[in-house]
Amino acid sequence: MPNVPPFVAPQPDRLLWQPATITAITRATPRVKIFTFRPADWPGFTAGQHVDLRLTAPDGYQAERSYSIASAPDATGTFDLAIDLIDDGEVSPFFHEVAEIGDTIEIRGPIGGHFVWRAEDGGPVLLIAGGSGLVPLMAMLRHRAEAAPDIPAALILSARTEDELIWRDELLQRDRDEPHFHLFATVTRETPRTPGIRHGRIDAALIEAALASLPAPPRTSFICGATPFVGAAADLALSAGLPFASIKAERYGG
């Protein structure tokens, strides 16, 4: 087995359900809250992986949902999830309206081995996110900043409004402070009020601008978001000349 830190080592019992305690709750946008969990037995994870959550009603009915991990891999024994409120959902309303610090939730994971990035994978790296598709890419960016800040990376991020840009202030700060990271944020339904944030949908020009910010073609490109967004972004990336094999996509929704 490779000599990797214990907090990213694979574990055979990662698919067993176990209790995890909510240790912190913060609001990221009007419809997104960040929950920090401390599982009873946490093997650690790789940036890009996700976990399953399971809620059980008093009558025994169970609901499960998968959520990507937003925090960087570390040895703290905790991880962060960004939970977007879905008004008619079965799981997200519980977290937004009922869950409190100290509550215990069933989780299993970490899960996933394709849509992941480690510092030793190298770069440059191109990241393209729509809405909450940013979450697993945020774990990658945070891991990169801590473990390999010299690896060039560019993030293209689209949301409907500026207030819906999750971690907007953190990303703008990283864009200012990290010389090898470049942010290309755009909103589609309003004129942005913050300098540096664009208006409009992701298009060929935005892809070209992000690629031009990198010193070489990206070794890997990660695209995450709703199914229509991922399809459109992947087509733009291919049209820009990126090899099909270098593009990894993760999508949600129908």
Side-chain angles (χ1 to χ4, degrees), residues 45-72:
F45 65 99
T46 303
Q49 288 188 305
H50 66 275
V51 297
D52 292 339
L53 303 185
R54 182 168 70 182
L55 302 180
T56 303
D59 63 1
Y61 175 77
Q62 294 182 323
E64 299 175 15
R65 293 294 183 273
S66 297
Y67 291 97
S68 295
I69 300 173
S71 46

Side-chain angles (χ1 to χ4, degrees), residues 76-223:
T76 63
T78 66
F79 61 87
D80 290 350
L81 301 182
I83 298 182
D84 193 352
L85 176 62
I86 308 300
D87 292 326
D88 58 352
E90 292 184 311
V91 172
S92 66
F94 168 83
F95 282 98
H96 276 255
E97 300 165 9
V98 180
E100 298 178 345
I101 293 173
D103 288 349
T104 299
I105 307 295
E106 283 188 293
I107 69 106
R108 67 179 176 186
I111 302 169
H114 170 70
F115 196 81
V116 297
W117 184 82
R118 304 170 179 84
E120 55 264 35
D121 295 334
V125 182
L126 175 64
L127 310 169
I128 306 176
S132 58
L134 171 63
V135 178
L137 308 187
M138 199 67 187
M140 298 178 191
L141 284 174
R142 288 167 166 167
H143 174 52
R144 171 203 157 273
E146 294 177 3
D150 291 338
I151 291 179
L155 169 65
I156 301 174
L157 172 61
S158 175
R160 292 175 298 182
T161 67
E162 189 173 334
D163 287 342
E164 293 179 74
L165 290 170
I166 312 174
W167 300 294
R168 176 193 59 190
D169 292 343
E170 178 180 341
L171 288 169
L172 290 170
Q173 188 69 40
R174 290 186 182 279
D175 185 55
R176 290 190 294 267
D177 294 347
E178 297 179 15
H180 301 292
F181 169 67
H182 301 282
L183 172 66
F184 299 84
T186 187
V187 295
T188 60
R189 296 191 180 179
E190 67 178 11
T191 300
R193 57 187 180 273
T194 300
I197 298 178
R198 298 162 169 80
H199 171 70
R201 298 186 180 277
I202 291 178
D203 56 16
L206 194 55
I207 297 287
E208 290 294 343
L211 292 175
S213 74
L214 299 173
R219 177 175 296 183
T220 312
S221 298
F222 294 90
I223 304 174

Side-chain angles (χ1 to χ4, degrees), residues 13 73 154-155 164 230 240 242:
D13 51 351
L155 169 65
E164 293 179 74
V230 169
L242 299 184

